[in-house]
Amino acid sequence: MTTGSAWRRLGGRPVWQHLAALVVVPLLATSAVATTTVADRVAELHATGEAVELMRAGAELDELRRAVDGELLPTLTRSATRDPSSFDIGAFGEERGPLNRQAEKEVRSTREATDLVLSAVPATSAASVTARLTQVKLATARSAADQGTASTAALADRYLELSEWLSEVEDRLLARTTAAGLSEDSALAVSDVVVVAGLTQHASRALPTTFTARVLSGDEQVRVRRRAEYAIGAYESMITGVPPLSGARQRVAWYEATSSPQARQLTEALHRESLVPGSLSGPELLRLRNASGARDRDLSALLGEAVDAAEAAIEAERREAARRVSTTVVLCLLVLAGALAAALAQGRWLSRSLRRLADAASRVGEGQLVDVPRGGPREVRTAAATLAGAAAGLQQVREQADALARGDLAGAVRDEPAPGPLGEVVHTSVQQLVRAVQQREQLQGELAHQAAHDALTGLPNRAAAVRLLQSALHRSARRGAAVGLLFIDLDGFKAVNDTSGHAAGDEVLRAVAARLREVVRAGDVVGRLGGDEFVVVAEDVGDVGGLVDLGQRIIDAVRRPVPLPPGAGPGTARVGASVGVAVSRDGGTGDDAGDVLLAEADTAVYRAKARGRGRVEVFDDDLRAELAARSDLEDALRAGLARGELSLHYQPVVAVADGRLLGYEALARWDRPGVGRVPPDVFVAAAEASSLVCDLGRWVLREATAQLARWRADRPASWGAAEPTVAVNVSGRHLVDPRLLDDVDAALAASGLPPSALVLEITETVLVDGPLALEHLRALRARGVEVSIDDFGTGWTSIGQLSTTPADTLKVDRSFTASDDPGCRDLVALVVHAAHTFGLRVVAEGVEEPEQLVWLRSLGCDAAQGYLFSRPLPAAEVAALPAPGALHAGDRHASTAG
């Protein structure tokens, strides 16, 4: 008998008719209306809240942009007045000195103001990321400005590009605000904010760009002048006519801000300068700062009023949207309450018949076969008729459920289903459930793999690699073993990306990952930290030598050419690798042990790159002790320099032809309290690792020139003889310091010596340090200071470059002077001949034997210094040397012994 015929025989109304009429239809209608309406209202609330956040973020960025613009003027003024070679000197005239001092004060005050604005940006603001990026960019620009490593034009570009970038971000935020689906009133108020923000951008940028164009020269001046003319023109265009604002109060404030005496004065002056460039001098432009500041403060207040008005409009819109949501929810609840009341009445009738059926079902569930009463709706009576037939399949269903509960998926699926429709449904459901569980387990495995692995290379990502490293540390600590970590940083990968594209770069990363898997030991873990950085975690490390060998194998594997697929660039790409090695020690397994080991390996790879790339460096106790000792030495040297612990020794330089005393080389010496004499190559190297070498160089300049001045006064040269000179070594870092020329001028001025009395010695390597080094050397020679290239022959200077090298003297390194090798002797002869050809003098270092002096005299060498004449002596002992005139080898100072 079919189900339909059983229903007709039993009679009664179907239960779905009762439920559909009283519950289902109202619930469906109410749910549809409620869902649609509430969704619309919530969308409105979200739109208004987002609009307020974006607008506030835009206002925060506008304030930050104005602060950055405020730093530009004093920063450029200080740079321009400090470095006359980088600006139009006519822009300042005689006011350069006072302007420089004033600029120093204003740099500090404007930076403090900018830092306050940065710190005021909340971390939750939409502008927080931009603020952090601005902080990083500002730090770079300030550092370049303070250290003088960037020209005035470069500083101007950095600040102007930062200001324009902030304007672009601000415009994008405000554009998103206008597109947030606001009401007409709110949209108009937000539009006012956008217009006023645009006006403030052009206004605050007009004076700084005009000043920048005035102080620069050449192509930089033309380029910046275009920016200034655009800002001035855009500002004047906006303030012409009726203010394009919707609020009357804002229009009045607009007019007052743009028409005040200060604003008119500023507008007229900048307009005149844009029409006739150079009509205003640099100081005259700087005196417009007060007018610009007053005008910008008025515009800032106008922007604040516009933001407040927009927030008020949006807040009113938000309250209205919230009211509509509340009303909609109340109405929906009332409809649902009515439907539920009707359902309860109908449910009471249904419950009586269902209760009887439930009692029978309970007994059947207990294994009792009983007569099932048949009453109530048709479905209830049909259920009672089929309940007895269903009892037979309950046992099988229970067995399947028990199998599922135990996780026995194979046992849960039977070949034959339970009898009846219920058996078929249960059988199908169990099959679907088993498949769903299996698919879920498979998906969970795939998701877990994706979360822990790099999508490009398939290697464990940074988080997974750190976890694996931490686990390896715990395992090794229990076994008493060590864990090694290799940090691999690719060399030249950026060039591949830049020249061949990112597709080629991706192919290189995949190839490197595959080669790393091939090279490492079984059980080692290879991971990608991101970018072009990889790590290898090696457990049970026997010695560091094995890790170094592994690192070298990695370098050899990585440097092989990588074939590129068609369309990904040229046929092949090449990269290299630098490897840093760190080994766990003391069984450390703390929460940060993995991070510490990773940082040590990173430090080692940094040293590998610093020493030439393509090599393996180990972070061991020597490196740790070296770093600690270097830091301690640097601190002690800084303190010793301040306490006067350093002194100068002087070694004479004599003429090879007749033994005349030509001058002295000043050499720094340090007797460290509690330690004793510190070798110069040790403490000078520590100083060169930081800016301390510049302080040391200034001190040597002052002391050496002052001492030579005293000697000249005490022991004047005989009539017709040349006065002795003093040579001072200048480090590469000091040579590119913007203050070098001032340091030399100050030392000469304090001592009263002529520039020709000072010789500055530099090494060959500084000649390739950049254009600033060559520029300083040319400026020093133009002043009359002599330049000598020290240790010539040990660096990379070509003899063919001597004609263009800004130097007066070459000093041949002692390794060539003292060598008996015929090749070295021929090289010295070549250097002497080439130097004389190009008009340079030659000084031979390290002359210790009379035979060497005879040989140098035969070559025509100009001068020499060394123990044959005198070792470096304190100033008091130099006084015992012969007076300027002659210092023959046979007249060496008695203290040269030892």
Side-chain angles (χ1 to χ4, degrees), residues 447-455 457-473 475 485 525-530 535-537 539 594-595 598:
L447 291 176
H449 182 273
Q450 293 175 4
H453 288 76
D454 173 51
T457 61
L459 297 176
N461 57 23
R462 184 183 189 92
V466 172
R467 287 198 300 271
L468 292 172
L469 174 60
Q470 196 71 26
S471 300
L473 290 171
R475 288 192 298 271
L485 182 68
V525 174
V526 180
R528 181 189 177 199
L529 300 182
V535 291
V536 174
V537 180
E539 296 189 53
D595 293 331
L598 188 62

Side-chain angles (χ1 to χ4, degrees), residues 257-289:
T258 58
S259 302
S260 66
Q262 295 92 337
R264 286 199 301 272
Q265 175 194 2
L266 179 63
T267 302
E268 292 171 358
L270 295 183
H271 180 76
R272 185 169 63 256
E273 175 65 19
S274 66
L275 293 179
V276 184
S279 60
L280 296 178
S281 67
E284 287 174 329
L285 285 171
L286 290 178
R287 283 191 283 272
L288 294 174
R289 285 175 295 184

Side-chain angles (χ1 to χ4, degrees), residues 311-326:
E311 286 188 4
I314 294 172
E315 178 62 22
E317 183 177 346
R318 189 196 67 79
R319 288 196 298 270
E320 177 61 22
R323 186 190 63 78
R324 289 196 294 269
V325 169
S326 300

Side-chain angles (χ1 to χ4, degrees), residues 53 68 105 109 111 123 139 160 232 427 460 480 516 560 571 673 777:
E53 292 177 0
V68 171
K105 299 178 182 178
S109 62
R111 286 183 179 180
L160 289 176
I232 295 170
H427 185 262
L516 291 178
R560 298 200 309 266
L777 290 177

